[in-house]
Amino acid sequence: VKEAGAGGAESAAAAVVAVVVEKEKEEFKVKSAVRMVIPAAKGGYMIGPKGSVVKELREASGCGIHVQDNGRSPDSRVIVITSMDKPSLTTAFLCKEGLIKCYLRATESPLSPDTAPNAVGDRPADQPYSCRLLIAESQIPGAMGVDNALAAADAQATSAEIALLPVPDRPACALPTDRVIEFTGTDAAVRGAL
């Protein structure tokens, strides 16, 4: 170990300051996750032959997308959409892109299995659409706002209906502390609200 003289101590301190400044320049990322409920019958359609559709959804959105096994529920499955987001971004988090793509796939008219993974099925404009998200009970105030003010504002801006479903309406695939937020309306309204 060398002893630093007066000049050595100053340069060591300058090096530490430089490291701290570099550390402050780094952008830290936060993992975001959204859980969407789909009918169990759509699970295979979301995955596609040999995983081709879910792979395409991942590549197109830049998100992690996993269709969970429906061992707990014969009538519904959960899609987990994850992304790494920079807290400094003022735009919506990246999971939104994956959520929209999964919503579109889950609500379109089914295509044949031999269709290209990036093909899009029909979306009749005259039918109602819905999307159900699972959210932890503890996150409801942040998602819905005080006295549902955020949900009401989103509903007014998009004309979608946004509802926190009662506990008995929670699907079997949900965790015991989960609640369901349901978005209903026209396709454009549901997409806007998501």
Side-chain angles (χ1 to χ4, degrees), residues 116-135:
N118 60 350
V120 178
D122 289 335
R123 305 195 61 71
D126 59 342
Q127 76 179 35
Y129 287 86
S130 72
C131 182
R132 297 183 303 156
L133 301 182
L134 293 176
I135 185 166

Side-chain angles (χ1 to χ4, degrees), residues 13-97:
V16 169
V17 169
V19 169
V20 170
V21 169
E22 283 301 312
K23 199 69 162 161
E24 288 175 1
K25 288 182 183 177
E26 290 181 24
E27 292 248 30
F28 294 98
K29 293 185 178 182
V30 178
K31 188 167 193 171
S32 299
V34 176
R35 295 174 297 145
M36 183 172 103
V37 180
I38 61 168
K42 285 280 190 167
Y45 186 67
M46 294 296 297
I47 296 168
K50 298 181 182 178
S52 60
V53 172
V54 77
K55 181 180 177 186
E56 174 68 28
L57 291 169
R58 288 175 186 142
E59 290 174 0
S61 68
C63 295
I65 298 173
H66 175 72
V67 181
Q68 292 185 328
D69 185 14
N70 64 338
R72 293 171 49 176
S73 173
D75 52 336
S76 56
R77 293 181 81 168
V78 176
I79 300 174
V80 180
I81 305 152
T82 59
S83 67
M84 295 300 289
D85 300 313
K86 295 178 182 179
S88 63
L89 289 178
T90 56
T91 58
F93 64 108
L94 299 174
C95 271
K96 182 177 179 180
E97 184 69 23

Side-chain angles (χ1 to χ4, degrees), residues 96-111:
K96 182 177 179 180
E97 184 69 23
L99 176 61
I100 297 293
K101 291 195 178 302
C102 288
Y103 159 76
L104 291 172
R105 180 71 181 186
T107 57
E108 70 187 18
S109 299
L111 299 167

